[in-house]
Amino acid sequence: MTIYDEYIDIKNSRIHYLKAKNDNSDGTIILLHGKKYNAYDWVNSGIIDRLNNEGFEVIALELPGYGLSEDLNLEKEDFLHEFVVQLNIEAFHLVGASFSGEISIKFALKYGTMLKTLTIIDSINVDKYGELLKNIRAKTLIVWGKKDDIAPYEFAGILKDNIINSTLFTFDNLGHTCYFDEPEIFSDVLMKFIKTF
């Protein structure tokens, strides 16, 4: 597998992303990093490799102001929309962890018709959305570390109770970075979920 370093200009800001291509792709998965992480963490964990080997094109996007991406005065969900439009991606699987989980929620509420599936991992600020979550129609996988001390496990319950087409997978003995702590299990759970649809 070859991972390509790519750049794109969005509203005069240079945005960096990593791309693992697949000539016989079953679709595109876009991975969004947490606040203390960047695109390369998805590589170092082996997650990109596993997803790519399952037949998907995988993009690990660095959000404006993070990693090698320049800052940009645009709401993150609107930035993501602009990114996929410029890359001519009409529909995709979105995976967002921690603060990117909240970005993914906002994207699903605003641009949900573009999503094949949505995966939310230990998202912050879930309690801010309440009844609005019922407007998310994308098939959603919720992944949580039960011992998360940043985004409490009750947030997973809020998502599960309000997002109609949702499934919850819990790492009972892990915390906020459960997906990086057990990348093989996480990748298997994600692939099983995505390939159901």
Side-chain angles (χ1 to χ4, degrees):
M1 179 195 67
T2 302
I3 296 177
Y4 298 89
D5 268 290
E6 305 276 0
Y7 289 88
I8 187 172
D9 285 335
I10 296 180
K11 297 189 181 299
N12 297 317
S13 291
R14 194 167 188 243
I15 301 299
H16 174 247
Y17 62 100
L18 302 176
K19 186 173 184 177
K21 299 179 182 179
N22 194 304
D23 292 335
N24 301 305
S25 176
D26 286 332
T28 300
I29 301 172
I30 295 181
L31 306 172
L32 302 181
H33 57 82
K35 212 161 201 173
K36 294 182 179 179
Y37 297 93
N38 58 47
Y40 294 101
D41 293 297
W42 293 107
V43 177
N44 296 335
S45 66
I47 291 173
I48 284 185
D49 193 20
R50 291 185 182 93
L51 303 184
N52 187 242
N53 287 339
E54 289 290 334
F56 290 87
E57 179 176 86
V58 186
I59 293 172
L61 174 60
E62 290 190 328
L63 295 162
Y66 292 86
L68 299 176
S69 290
E70 295 176 351
D71 210 354
L72 176 61
N73 186 23
L74 191 64
E75 293 294 332
K76 297 293 193 296
E77 68 273 15
D78 298 327
F79 155 77
L80 177 57
H81 178 260
E82 186 69 22
F83 176 80
V84 295
V85 167
Q86 284 204 34
L87 264 61
N88 295 314
I89 301 171
E90 294 182 358
F92 62 100
H93 304 278
L94 178 60
V95 178
S98 189
F99 97 122
S100 288
E102 183 178 13
I103 294 166
S104 300
I105 289 169
K106 290 180 177 180
F107 186 90
L109 288 169
K110 201 165 184 178
Y111 304 107
T113 56
M114 300 186 76
L115 294 177
K116 289 185 175 181
T117 65
L118 171 65
T119 298
I120 302 170
I121 311 164
D122 292 75
S123 175
I124 63 169
N125 296 333
V126 169
D127 53 333
K128 286 170 49 176
Y129 295 90
E131 291 286 313
L132 285 174
L133 296 169
K134 295 184 185 296
N135 295 321
I136 295 178
R137 291 291 182 262
K139 298 170 183 67
T140 302
L141 172 64
I142 304 157
V143 178
W144 227 269
K146 202 164 192 176
K147 295 185 176 179
D148 192 334
D149 57 1
I150 295 172
Y153 187 64
E154 66 188 67
F155 284 5
I158 293 171
L159 292 170
K160 182 69 179 71
D161 291 343
N162 286 283
I163 299 177
I164 296 167
N165 293 312
S166 64
T167 301
L168 172 61
F169 180 85
T170 301
F171 286 96
D172 289 330
N173 297 311
L174 299 178
H176 195 61
T177 57
C178 58
Y179 59 112
F180 283 154
D181 296 333
E182 290 286 359
E184 292 183 15
I185 295 174
F186 169 73
S187 299
D188 288 346
V189 169
L190 179 59
M191 280 297 91
K192 184 178 179 182
F193 170 74
I194 286 177
K195 288 189 171 184
T196 303
F197 305 107

